Amino acid sequence: MTAPTAQQLFEDDFTDGVRSGAGAPWRLRPVDALPTGDGVVRTTPNGLVVVPTGVDARSGAPAFAQPATPVQHLRWAAFTTHVSPSGRPGFETVDGQLLTVSADVALRGFGLDTHPYDDVTDATVDIRLGAGGLISVDLESGVVFDFFLTHHRLYAVYERLALRPDARFAAFTYAVPVADRRPEQVHRLEVSFERATGTARWRVDGAEVLSVDRVGTRCLDAAYLKRDNGGVEESVLPGQLSYGLGLFADRMYGQGVELSAGRLRVTAVPRP
């Protein structure tokens, strides 16, 4: 039997950087007083490289800008501007179709070990101190299927955001370590969602590392639960997914990260 042919819905090799603005394929998210976020983008023969806007006075290495209060965890992000047929931001999830985003991504950190925190055991794997990743989010329901890379570790991230302060539904974050890594190591990351089964899958270099089929519930090992509002669980079926790339940090002390990303694709494959 012939394998179903993938329909390519979106592709960018970042030859022209991250094109944003009216009619462009990307939208940059403002952070604090920075209208395009805490990120400086440059283009290379292999794709794009993003570093924070600051510079550490001691080392001269890239460093996160000093944040406003409260700190926004997402320091820089580029989101696809695609709009579904319903008019909502994102690529529509359709019964009988497997929707997948993929990208070649690497990350390295700077100055991570200079932290002053007693609750940090290994700065090179701690998401709070600096990470970058591949974003897959339903901006309507707050469901997230991400990959986070730190200097020495790769995580599959499953969460639901509390989009309103008064949200009573379960809002939580799981960060599941799926591989140790080297800073120069490039990973082919893929996140798929199949609406008919309500299943999300995370793959690294072609191998599945995590799946979730009860989206909206706290269904993973509690050891990986990083945030939980104690709300009421409810099943969620994302109607569309927006994709992108991001830099993340919760604490700033002169450290930074560098995210490298090659071709990013969104495809849809028919499912029986």
Side-chain angles (χ1 to χ4, degrees):
M1 179 181 294
T2 303
T5 302
Q7 177 187 3
Q8 186 164 286
L9 305 180
F10 178 88
E11 181 177 18
D12 196 340
D13 62 4
F14 304 110
T15 301
D16 300 320
V18 178
R19 293 167 290 154
S20 61
W26 297 100
R27 173 179 62 87
L28 298 177
R29 182 179 183 271
V31 172
D32 301 333
L34 302 168
T36 58
D38 187 9
V40 177
V41 179
R42 63 183 174 88
T43 303
T44 76
N46 297 318
L48 66 86
V49 173
V50 188
V51 297
T53 57
V55 176
D56 180 56
R58 297 162 296 180
S59 66
F64 291 108
Q66 286 302 308
T69 302
V71 176
Q72 294 187 53
H73 172 65
L74 183 56
R75 303 304 304 161
W76 175 88
F79 289 99
T80 50
T81 57
H82 184 88
V83 176
S84 71
S86 66
R88 296 178 174 87
F91 294 83
E92 186 177 22
T93 64
V94 178
D95 285 333
Q97 200 175 76
L98 183 70
L99 186 65
T100 300
V101 61
S102 64
D104 298 323
V105 185
L107 182 130
R108 61 174 174 155
F110 305 95
L112 297 172
D113 288 332
T114 64
H115 70 86
Y117 308 113
D118 293 336
D119 62 344
V120 174
T121 56
D122 185 348
T124 68
V125 304
D126 197 315
I127 291 172
R128 298 172 297 176
L129 306 188
L134 178 64
I135 298 171
S136 174
V137 55
D138 178 8
L139 296 171
E140 186 172 74
S141 69
V143 169
V144 173
F145 312 125
D146 283 358
F147 271 112
F148 279 10
L149 298 87
T150 66
H151 193 72
H152 278 154
R153 192 155 293 165
L154 176 60
Y155 296 85
V157 176
Y158 159 55
E159 62 183 331
R160 189 176 187 192
L161 305 174
L163 299 178
R164 304 184 313 275
D166 61 344
R168 296 184 178 181
F169 58 77
F172 51 84
T173 301
Y174 288 96
V176 182
V178 295
D180 292 331
R181 61 179 305 274
R182 304 181 305 277
E184 71 278 7
Q185 189 172 3
V186 178
H187 305 274
R188 169 62 58 86
L189 304 179
E190 299 177 55
V191 179
S192 299
F193 182 72
E194 186 174 10
R195 181 180 176 86
T197 62
T199 302
R201 302 183 188 278
W202 290 252
R203 293 184 179 86
V204 179
D205 301 324
E208 185 174 309
V209 295
L210 182 69
S211 67
V212 169
D213 62 2
R214 289 181 287 153
V215 176
T217 69
R218 305 179 193 90
C219 54
L220 299 181
D221 191 321
Y224 307 130
L225 188 61
K226 304 299 182 184
R227 176 186 61 88
D228 184 4
N229 72 344
V232 178
E233 291 183 337
E234 60 181 26
S235 295
V236 181
L237 189 62
Q240 55 280 315
L241 290 165
S242 293
Y243 300 118
L245 301 166
L247 302 182
F248 306 86
D250 296 317
R251 302 175 179 182
M252 287 74 176
Y253 52 93
Q255 89 286 19
V257 297
E258 177 186 86
L259 175 71
S260 304
R263 191 182 309 271
L264 186 146
R265 292 187 178 96
V266 180
T267 61
V269 177
R271 302 290 279 182

